[in-house]
Amino acid sequence: MTDAKRPAPSAGDARPAPAQMAGIPKGLWHKCPKCRAMLYQKELERNLRVCGSCQYHFPLSTAERIAMLADEGAFAEIDANLLPVNPLGFPDYADKLARGRAKAGQNEAFVYGDAEIAGAPVVLGVANFGFMGGSMGSVVGEKVARALERGAELGRPVVLVCASGGARMQEGMVSLMQMAKTAAACERLKAAGQLYITILTDPTTGGVWASFASLGEIIIAEPAALIGLTGPRVLEQNLKVKLPPGTHTAEFQLAHGMVDLVVHRRELRGTVTRLLTMLAPARAAAAPAVE
Amino acid sequence: MTDAKRPAPSAGDARPAPAQMAGIPKGLWHKCPKCRAMLYQKELERNLRVCGSCQYHFPLSTAERIAMLADEGAFAEIDANLLPVNPLGFPDYADKLARGRAKAGQNEAFVYGDAEIAGAPVVLGVANFGFMGGSMGSVVGEKVARALERGAELGRPVVLVCASGGARMQEGMVSLMQMAKTAAACERLKAAGQLYITILTDPTTGGVWASFASLGEIIIAEPAALIGLTGPRVLEQNLKVKLPPGTHTAEFQLAHGMVDLVVHRRELRGTVTRLLTMLAPARAAAAPAVE
Amino acid sequence: MISTSRWLPFEKPLQDIDEQIRRLEEYTTTHGIDRSEKIRELREEHDALCVQIFSNLSAWDKTLLARHPNRPYTLDYIRMIFDDFVELHGDRRFGDDPAMVAGIASLQGQTVVVIGQQKGRDVKERTYRNFGSAKPEGYRKAERMMDIAERHGVPLVSFIDTPAAEGRLDAEERGISEAIASSMAHLSRLRAPVFAIVTGEGGSGGAIAIGVADHVAMLEHAIYSIMPPEGCAAILDTFGRDGSRGYQAAEALKLTAQMNLELGLVDEVVPEPFGGAHRDPLETAHRITACLRQRLPELQAIPVDALVGRRYAKFRAMGQFTAEMS
Amino acid sequence: MISTSRWLPFEKPLQDIDEQIRRLEEYTTTHGIDRSEKIRELREEHDALCVQIFSNLSAWDKTLLARHPNRPYTLDYIRMIFDDFVELHGDRRFGDDPAMVAGIASLQGQTVVVIGQQKGRDVKERTYRNFGSAKPEGYRKAERMMDIAERHGVPLVSFIDTPAAEGRLDAEERGISEAIASSMAHLSRLRAPVFAIVTGEGGSGGAIAIGVADHVAMLEHAIYSIMPPEGCAAILDTFGRDGSRGYQAAEALKLTAQMNLELGLVDEVVPEPFGGAHRDPLETAHRITACLRQRLPELQAIPVDALVGRRYAKFRAMGQFTAEMS
Ligand SMILES: [Zn+2]
Ligand SMILES: [Zn+2]
């Protein structure tokens, strides 16, 4: 179901590894993995980590993503202290969690909290592909459900930035049940009449795409992001077929009616803001003041 | 939208015209229009007007259809006295109505009433293709809506036998609005939690198929019945294309997920009875006694 | 804006005057002789004739006008009427239908959800938009928008402009009839105000599928018809089954805004500017905006239960018949 | 009924005894010498061994058993459990999926709506049923059935038996992920009692899509797994990315009925008859019937608002984590 063999766009914390070519100061230059252009670090940052020559969207760290979407200083993380356990006693899981934690610099593959976007209060969640491929175990599922329930209870829109290789294998069916749990929570948010936006980044696959990610009332994807139940590489390996180019991309899903918009990163915050302005106008003001 | 050029299976009252071949007593023998077999009248009647050799389903008159579906003597027509008018002052319409009335022996192309099927009280409606091609004008729309509303109000399932070339051209947009009116009435019946079965007979096309007929909670079609928005002949004429054989049939619609069941006429009453038994069990007993 | 490059048959006298004016202007430029007095006269003549012609259009003239390729289309109106519009795509089932556009829009601070058929102006866009004939995925996208409107309690605004729903084999295979029926049924119970306007061709079930509204307006020269009059003429022996007698069928079908209003099938006719919508799209848009600004608050003032009941009753009452004394 | 023609590896000792019995019976017939005493002894030995083997099955043994080609499939159970069943077809959108069956059934006078994946037994039917892997149209047909159950206030009964949902390109194009998500979401708010039973392979999101139930039962030797253990072994370095180590992954994934019960993910394990469901399909069906006869009235006794709230709370509580002291 997942595309776990797909090489992670980054080996570490969901940022591209710094270019390490001879003569180029480490960390100052990055090579675009798509067009091979050498990109100056500052320039890349100014471009929201989009390649200026081919528009490849580099992965963002959680902090970068929040900075890009939320108003400055307006994000307050919730439930940062939730930690995964090993419900099945799965071999190696503890090690892998420790490694993921060290690499990503966060407790799990998903962070959420209260935020404001252009002044509109929202609940904002961000997945981190760098933590065990953004896979959804109990903690991710719990945080996603809490984010959605918080939106329903406080009368706030929920914006979730998705990135995942799928369900977390090491938690077995406990992991898979997070699909049901988050899907049910989506319904609660919708029943409360609150806007629910999902933002699909590269890659959004498996059990995440087949649950809360595809239940967005409005679904936005970043250009060229890999999106699908089973990634094309896994399909090609398992079925010994060659897929036509361009399948399982954001643009493919747009053409097949599965996402509303493919939006360049530079227009992402603007698009979300416009939707929030139009679909959560009075509610923002009427929401009870908490914290 | 309609397939009006399609020759009516019968010229007269939706029964096959009696065979008029030399030497064969008029009315005793019928020729199967599909396999050309000569069928003895009594035999054909015993077979519910299905050709014993190729299973072609001959059209039924309203009386035959009611006799086939409802318990004997358990049909009480309602609103038989509703008559069409000429809302647009359309040329020839009055003549056509008079001819349709004379040929079909009924006031309009649709008859409905209270009935019992295997003891279960239902509202039963039957369209007559022999009356101006079963087209839906104001009277047909009104009667269909009343049948559906009656089911909702009295807590009874509604069974509608459909046959239509589409909307009634001579009533223009007044006719087309019957689509909206009947579709809305279907929602009322469903909201009341009452079973709604449509039975599609040859042909069910145009505005009837695109409104109350395709909104059946359970949709049953007779074998080989022509079903579609635009009939294949009209499509072929208008678009100068040749369609593959078998399009726009009951079996085609089954394969494409649009009908639940294709049921041979000899099993039709049985199937409807089983569905009524299962999906309207307590309600039948609990329904208020009226009339 | 959109140029009036194509002339309809009944506009011939106007075209002639325009041509005279153009030649006189050219003459002025090339010869330096002032013919402005004559031009002014011709302009007055043109305007008077225009008023006369456009107040005496036949049903067939209006049919041609409603299909005029320079007439504004749904996306033109959306751009002119709303302060903001985020177009949304896809039915979440099969595809995205370019013949049906949809999205969230802002009307001077009032959020609305918009749906509408979209025709194409040039050959390429016409093909892309399938001539404004939506497929099942178009109607299912529209239904998804209905859910959004209901969930957020904002009005749905529907722009109707289609010759018909697509009836070809691929549309049939994916259930075009079910899609039309389901869309009507969904609108009939939608717990949000629904406003619809027929802006051009309101053709057949494909039009009414998004026309089950609390308030249905029609532009002055739009048509709302059970089928294209040529098609009607071609199949009815009333017209000798002769498609070229569409002008007669148009008359008989009473497909004009005025007749639809008289028949009680639409609620309001929005006057078009001088010479038709295609001569002044912006003014046409202003008039639609004014209509929306008046009607939406009226509909929003009605409690939603009452609104849904009222909508049901309105369509329930459509149809004319009599009861024979027994 | 279904013959037990195929033997699984762990059944080898049973197969040997069966073969001895068969030969002795043949000997009796052909030579007329009575070996019934010996046959009786062998039968006793067989039965004792069977009990021993089947009470010590590994997770991998159960994986093989859950996929046993002679194990009853959904339509087998439907035929054996219900007095009547009208199968319904189609999603009203695109097609009818033979990998998902659905319909209205009667359980000793109690009407239920039934959905479930359907595998095929012979090569032809396996292909026709797509090996029990449903496509978007299958899940959308199931959703249509959910509406019917809700409308009529009758319980929904779901039979789960699938390796996974279909993930190939055509399923992807029509939104298999959306279909799975939507099905789960729909079940989570369904205003009708929902009963599910994992009868064979409960594989991945394709299984859980129809498994969001008030009461989830599992047959004793069924499995409920995040993915096929061979697949898991093939992609995790934990198992050296070696698909042949599926038996280890099966153990690690805790995919048996007993472990799923212990983890609180299912509510009940229904014991299978002596030697597994495929040895006595009718008895297995009787046990499922008994389970339904017990559970449905319990669920129907709960007011529907409470039922939906309880269902939400049940799935909401699934997951294990801890909170770090800050
Ligand atoms: Zn690049
Ligand atoms: Zn025959």
Side-chain angles (χ1 to χ4, degrees):
Chain A
M1 187 156 164
T2 64
D3 203 3
K5 278 193 177 168
R6 187 169 179 280
S10 70
D13 66 348
R15 287 187 188 221
Q20 306 212 354
M21 292 162 61
I24 297 174
K26 188 173 162 177
L28 278 181
W29 291 89
H30 296 271
K31 190 182 192 173
C32 173
K34 195 174 152 201
C35 75
R36 309 271 151 209
M38 293 307 299
L39 306 166
Y40 186 54
Q41 163 93 11
K42 294 231 161 135
E43 180 72 18
L44 191 57
E45 275 166 14
R46 256 199 305 278
N47 282 343
L48 301 168
R49 298 199 156 265
V50 174
C51 170
S53 88
C54 78
Q55 307 305 316
Y56 170 75
H57 284 49
F58 283 79
L60 295 182
S61 72
T62 300
E64 285 168 332
R65 181 63 73 178
I66 290 169
M68 201 208 95
L69 276 175
D71 297 349
E72 208 179 327
F75 179 79
E77 191 180 352
I78 301 172
D79 291 329
N81 63 334
L82 291 195
L83 293 179
V85 296
N86 190 352
L88 310 187
F90 203 92
D92 289 357
Y93 188 31
D95 289 354
K96 279 184 176 149
L97 284 172
R99 278 204 300 271
R101 200 169 163 174
K103 283 200 299 187
Q106 56 190 61
N107 278 339
E108 252 289 0
F110 185 81
V111 160
Y112 86 103
D114 289 333
E116 287 183 16
I117 297 178
V122 300
V123 178
L124 175 64
V126 176
N128 187 343
F129 190 74
F131 189 110
M132 292 190 73
S135 59
M136 175 159 67
S138 295
V139 171
V140 172
E142 181 69 19
K143 284 179 155 187
V144 167
R146 288 191 188 184
L148 291 161
E149 285 178 342
R150 187 171 180 84
E153 279 155 28
L154 301 185
R156 291 183 191 169
V158 177
V159 179
L160 300 185
V161 183
C162 308
S164 178
R168 183 152 314 159
M169 205 60 63
Q170 293 83 357
E171 294 190 23
M173 280 306 281
V174 179
S175 157
L176 209 65
M177 289 298 170
Q178 308 308 310
M179 291 173 68
K181 176 164 132 181
T182 58
C186 290
E187 292 299 293
R188 288 258 159 138
L189 183 69
K190 288 184 189 174
Q194 288 303 323
L195 179 60
Y196 174 38
I197 298 176
T198 54
I199 298 172
L200 314 182
T201 71
D202 184 50
T204 300
T205 63
V208 163
W209 173 227
S211 63
F212 69 90
S214 68
L215 291 171
E217 182 175 29
I218 294 173
I219 302 180
I220 302 174
E222 287 202 331
L226 173 73
I227 302 164
L229 183 63
T230 312
R233 283 177 217 218
V234 170
L235 279 185
E236 289 184 343
Q237 276 169 20
N238 293 356
L239 303 171
K240 316 270 181 273
V241 293
K242 186 83 194 131
L243 293 177
T247 70
H248 300 77
T249 61
E251 293 74 15
F252 166 95
Q253 298 291 358
L254 181 73
H256 289 287
M258 304 303 156
V259 310
D260 282 292
L261 297 160
V262 174
V263 174
H264 192 284
R265 196 173 281 166
R266 93 172 81 81
E267 282 158 18
L268 189 55
R269 183 178 140 98
T271 303
V272 171
T273 300
R274 288 162 67 202
L275 289 167
L276 287 170
T277 305
M278 290 193 284
L279 286 177
R283 285 188 191 83
V290 281
E291 290 163 14
Chain B
M1 189 157 164
T2 64
D3 204 3
K5 277 192 178 167
R6 185 168 181 279
S10 71
D13 66 347
R15 287 190 188 217
Q20 306 212 353
M21 292 162 61
I24 297 174
K26 189 173 165 178
L28 276 181
W29 291 88
H30 297 271
K31 190 181 193 175
C32 173
K34 196 174 151 201
C35 76
R36 311 269 149 209
M38 292 307 299
L39 306 166
Y40 186 55
Q41 165 93 11
K42 293 231 162 136
E43 180 72 17
L44 191 57
E45 275 164 15
R46 258 199 304 278
N47 283 342
L48 301 168
R49 298 198 158 264
V50 175
C51 170
S53 88
C54 77
Q55 308 304 317
Y56 171 75
H57 284 50
F58 282 79
L60 296 183
S61 72
T62 301
E64 285 168 331
R65 181 63 73 177
I66 291 168
M68 201 207 96
L69 277 174
D71 298 348
E72 207 178 328
F75 179 79
E77 190 180 354
I78 301 172
D79 291 330
N81 63 334
L82 292 195
L83 292 179
V85 296
N86 190 353
L88 310 187
F90 204 92
D92 288 356
Y93 187 31
D95 288 353
K96 279 183 176 149
L97 285 171
R99 278 204 300 269
R101 203 169 161 172
K103 283 201 298 187
Q106 56 190 59
N107 278 339
E108 252 289 359
F110 185 81
V111 160
Y112 86 103
D114 289 332
E116 288 184 16
I117 296 179
V122 300
V123 178
L124 174 65
V126 177
N128 187 344
F129 189 74
F131 189 110
M132 290 190 75
S135 58
M136 175 161 67
S138 295
V139 171
V140 172
E142 181 69 20
K143 284 179 156 188
V144 168
R146 287 191 189 183
L148 293 161
E149 285 178 342
R150 186 170 181 85
E153 279 154 29
L154 300 185
R156 291 185 191 168
V158 177
V159 179
L160 299 186
V161 182
C162 309
S164 178
R168 185 159 305 166
M169 205 60 64
Q170 293 82 357
E171 294 191 23
M173 281 305 282
V174 178
S175 157
L176 209 65
M177 289 298 169
Q178 308 308 311
M179 292 173 68
K181 175 164 132 180
T182 58
C186 291
E187 292 299 294
R188 287 261 161 134
L189 183 69
K190 289 184 188 173
Q194 288 304 323
L195 179 60
Y196 174 38
I197 298 176
T198 54
I199 298 171
L200 313 183
T201 71
D202 184 50
T204 300
T205 64
V208 163
W209 173 228
S211 63
F212 69 90
S214 68
L215 291 171
E217 183 174 31
I218 294 173
I219 303 180
I220 303 174
E222 286 202 331
L226 172 73
I227 302 164
L229 182 63
T230 312
R233 283 177 217 216
V234 170
L235 279 184
E236 289 184 342
Q237 276 169 19
N238 293 354
L239 303 170
K240 316 268 180 275
V241 294
K242 185 84 194 130
L243 293 177
T247 70
H248 301 76
T249 61
E251 294 74 14
F252 166 95
Q253 298 292 358
L254 181 72
H256 289 287
M258 304 305 155
V259 311
D260 282 291
L261 297 160
V262 175
V263 174
H264 193 284
R265 195 173 282 165
R266 93 173 81 81
E267 282 157 19
L268 188 55
R269 182 178 142 101
T271 303
V272 171
T273 299
R274 288 161 68 202
L275 289 167
L276 287 171
T277 306
M278 291 193 282
L279 286 176
R283 285 189 191 82
V290 281
E291 288 161 15
Chain C
M1 217 41 24
I2 302 147
S3 77
T4 311
S5 58
R6 307 228 206 158
W7 296 90
L8 297 174
F10 61 84
E11 294 177 305
K12 184 77 174 63
L14 297 173
Q15 186 180 7
D16 294 344
I17 300 177
D18 259 29
E19 180 59 17
Q20 280 183 56
I21 294 172
R22 200 190 54 73
R23 266 186 267 131
L24 285 174
E25 285 172 338
E26 205 175 83
Y27 194 81
T28 307
T29 312
T30 50
H31 293 73
I33 298 165
D34 183 13
R35 303 302 301 269
S36 56
E37 180 59 17
K38 178 66 186 162
I39 289 172
R40 203 184 45 74
E41 274 171 32
L42 280 168
R43 287 224 167 101
E44 271 168 22
E45 196 186 327
H46 173 280
D47 291 358
L49 195 59
C50 191
V51 168
Q52 196 202 316
I53 288 172
F54 277 82
S55 48
N56 288 289
L57 294 175
S58 71
W60 180 248
D61 294 338
K62 294 210 174 201
T63 303
L64 300 177
L65 201 51
R67 298 171 181 166
H68 197 292
N70 291 338
R71 206 170 161 85
Y73 294 148
T74 297
L75 282 174
D76 301 319
Y77 285 124
I78 288 173
R79 278 181 217 111
M80 294 186 283
I81 291 170
F82 301 109
D83 334 320
D84 195 11
F85 175 63
V86 177
E87 187 175 350
L88 301 177
H89 297 274
D91 69 343
R92 301 275 198 275
R93 298 287 179 271
F94 180 85
D96 181 58
D97 188 348
M100 179 76 75
V101 294
I104 317 293
S106 172
L107 178 76
Q108 301 170 28
Q110 155 80 59
T111 302
V112 298
V113 174
V114 178
I115 56 177
Q117 291 100 353
Q118 176 65 33
K119 294 183 175 181
R121 197 152 277 114
D122 60 29
V123 174
K124 197 176 147 198
E125 204 202 352
R126 273 183 214 187
T127 307
Y128 175 64
R129 302 288 184 184
N130 196 30
F131 302 86
S133 284
K135 296 184 178 184
E137 45 273 24
Y139 293 102
R140 288 171 190 149
K141 172 164 69 175
E143 279 207 61
R144 197 160 73 76
M145 299 300 129
M146 294 171 202
D147 285 334
I148 293 178
E150 181 167 283
R151 212 176 280 132
H152 294 276
V154 301
L156 183 78
V157 175
S158 171
F159 291 89
I160 298 171
D161 188 15
T162 181
E166 178 56 60
R168 272 181 276 196
L169 193 56
D170 67 324
E172 186 68 44
E173 285 175 338
R174 298 195 294 278
I176 184 63
S177 296
E178 189 279 343
I180 291 170
S182 178
S183 186
M184 291 187 302
H186 199 152
L187 281 177
S188 78
R189 62 175 149 77
L190 195 73
R191 298 179 62 75
V194 184
F195 173 99
I197 181 162
V198 187
T199 60
E201 242 182 323
S204 176
I208 202 178
I210 58 167
V212 184
D214 298 305
H215 189 84
V216 181
M218 266 185 91
L219 281 182
E220 185 185 356
H221 304 310
I223 62 170
Y224 206 5
S225 180
I226 186 168
M227 80 178 288
E230 307 91 314
C232 175
I235 61 169
L236 286 191
D237 47 19
T238 313
F239 308 103
R241 298 188 183 241
D242 176 358
S244 72
R245 287 167 68 186
Y247 64 98
Q248 288 178 325
E251 214 61 55
L253 287 170
K254 306 232 184 308
L255 46 66
T256 64
Q258 297 68 31
M259 288 312 304
N260 273 288
L261 183 69
E262 206 168 285
L263 286 163
L265 307 179
V266 304
D267 302 295
E268 177 179 17
V269 176
V270 176
E272 295 187 21
F274 194 67
H278 63 298
R279 282 197 165 73
D280 194 346
L282 196 57
E283 174 58 22
T284 313
H286 286 161
R287 293 183 187 189
I288 297 175
T289 304
C291 178
L292 279 166
R293 297 274 295 162
Q294 184 192 346
R295 300 306 176 187
L296 292 185
E298 287 173 8
L299 299 179
Q300 288 177 290
I302 304 169
V304 72
D305 283 329
L307 192 70
V308 175
R310 193 172 158 272
R311 191 185 312 139
Y312 184 85
K314 183 174 98 165
F315 285 90
R316 181 67 187 80
M318 289 181 188
Q320 295 182 32
F321 52 87
T322 182
E324 193 179 41
M325 293 304 154
S326 50
Chain D
M1 215 44 19
I2 301 146
S3 76
T4 311
S5 57
R6 306 226 206 161
W7 297 88
L8 297 173
F10 60 84
E11 293 177 305
K12 183 78 173 63
L14 296 174
Q15 187 180 7
D16 294 345
I17 300 177
D18 260 28
E19 180 59 18
Q20 282 183 56
I21 294 173
R22 200 190 54 73
R23 264 184 269 132
L24 285 174
E25 284 174 338
E26 206 174 81
Y27 193 81
T28 308
T29 312
T30 52
H31 294 73
I33 299 163
D34 183 13
R35 302 301 301 268
S36 58
E37 180 59 18
K38 178 66 186 164
I39 290 172
R40 203 184 45 75
E41 275 170 32
L42 280 168
R43 287 223 168 102
E44 271 166 22
E45 195 186 330
H46 174 281
D47 291 358
L49 195 60
C50 192
V51 169
Q52 196 201 318
I53 289 172
F54 276 83
S55 50
N56 287 289
L57 294 176
S58 71
W60 179 247
D61 294 338
K62 293 211 176 203
T63 303
L64 299 178
L65 201 51
R67 298 170 181 165
H68 197 293
N70 291 337
R71 206 169 160 85
Y73 294 147
T74 297
L75 281 175
D76 300 319
Y77 285 124
I78 289 174
R79 276 180 219 113
M80 293 186 284
I81 291 170
F82 300 109
D83 334 319
D84 194 12
F85 175 64
V86 177
E87 187 174 352
L88 301 177
H89 296 274
D91 69 344
R92 302 274 200 276
R93 298 285 179 273
F94 181 85
D96 181 58
D97 187 349
M100 179 76 75
V101 294
I104 317 293
S106 171
L107 178 76
Q108 300 170 28
Q110 155 79 60
T111 302
V112 298
V113 174
V114 178
I115 57 175
Q117 290 101 353
Q118 176 65 33
K119 295 182 175 182
R121 197 152 277 117
D122 60 29
V123 174
K124 197 177 149 198
E125 204 202 352
R126 274 183 211 187
T127 308
Y128 175 64
R129 302 289 185 183
N130 196 31
F131 302 87
S133 286
K135 297 186 177 182
E137 46 274 24
Y139 293 102
R140 289 173 189 147
K141 172 164 67 175
E143 279 208 60
R144 196 160 74 77
M145 297 302 129
M146 295 171 201
D147 285 335
I148 293 178
E150 182 168 285
R151 210 176 282 132
H152 294 275
V154 301
L156 183 77
V157 175
S158 170
F159 291 89
I160 298 172
D161 188 15
T162 181
E166 177 56 62
R168 273 180 275 197
L169 193 57
D170 67 324
E172 186 69 45
E173 287 174 338
R174 298 196 293 278
I176 184 64
S177 296
E178 189 279 342
I180 291 171
S182 179
S183 186
M184 291 187 301
H186 199 152
L187 281 177
S188 78
R189 63 176 149 75
L190 195 73
R191 297 178 63 77
V194 184
F195 173 100
I197 180 162
V198 186
T199 59
E201 244 182 323
S204 177
I208 202 177
I210 59 167
V212 183
D214 298 307
H215 189 85
V216 181
M218 265 185 92
L219 281 182
E220 184 185 356
H221 304 310
I223 61 170
Y224 206 6
S225 180
I226 186 169
M227 79 180 288
E230 308 91 311
C232 174
I235 61 168
L236 286 190
D237 47 19
T238 312
F239 308 103
R241 297 187 183 244
D242 176 358
S244 72
R245 287 167 68 185
Y247 63 98
Q248 289 178 324
E251 215 61 55
L253 286 171
K254 305 231 184 307
L255 46 65
T256 65
Q258 297 69 31
M259 288 311 306
N260 273 288
L261 183 70
E262 207 168 284
L263 287 163
L265 306 179
V266 304
D267 302 296
E268 177 178 17
V269 175
V270 177
E272 296 187 20
F274 194 68
H278 63 297
R279 281 198 167 70
D280 195 345
L282 196 57
E283 173 58 22
T284 312
H286 286 161
R287 293 183 186 189
I288 297 174
T289 304
C291 178
L292 279 165
R293 297 273 296 162
Q294 184 190 346
R295 300 307 177 185
L296 292 185
E298 286 173 9
L299 300 178
Q300 288 176 290
I302 303 169
V304 72
D305 283 330
L307 192 71
V308 175
R310 192 173 159 272
R311 192 185 311 139
Y312 184 85
K314 183 173 100 166
F315 285 90
R316 183 66 188 79
M318 290 181 187
Q320 295 183 32
F321 52 88
T322 181
E324 191 179 43
M325 294 301 153
S326 50

